[in-house]
Amino acid sequence: MTNDESAVLRLVAAGAISAHDVARFGGPDVVSAVKVLVGLERKGLVERRVLRDGEGAVRHAAHFLTAVGQRRMHVACRLGVTRRRG
């Protein structure tokens, strides 16, 4: 897992629901965050949920950790991987 992927995964676990939130809370820029979120979706660590209106237009989209992503975060925290350096 790359540094950007682990940073985005931590921010999603902390409540960032979009690429804009990830960039706002200190993660990679929006374009990089979108690419990383798509990669995490493909790996099965993050799930994108979409709320649509009656005509099918997207009204709200959010990213959440899957069970696999939660387990990875739990294991990483137990091993001390997510501690800040400095």
Side-chain angles (χ1 to χ4, degrees):
M1 182 176 282
T2 67
N3 289 335
D4 282 348
E5 287 176 336
S6 62
V8 170
L9 193 61
R10 275 184 269 150
L11 288 169
V12 170
I17 61 172
S18 68
H20 294 281
D21 285 347
V22 167
R24 191 175 344 151
F25 297 138
D29 62 285
V30 176
V31 174
S32 298
V34 168
K35 291 178 184 178
V36 171
L37 282 169
V38 169
L40 291 173
E41 283 181 57
R42 289 182 180 158
K43 290 181 179 181
L45 300 173
V46 172
E47 175 184 346
R48 182 173 184 248
R49 296 183 189 165
V50 178
L51 180 64
R52 298 180 185 270
D53 64 4
E55 287 114 29
V58 174
R59 290 296 171 200
H60 181 72
H63 287 86
F64 298 94
L65 288 180
T66 61
V68 176
Q70 289 174 358
R71 193 172 320 117
R72 178 165 273 193
M73 288 301 301
H74 180 71
V75 169
C77 287
R78 291 183 78 201
L79 295 176
V81 175
T82 60
R83 279 188 268 162
R84 290 186 181 196
R85 296 180 188 145

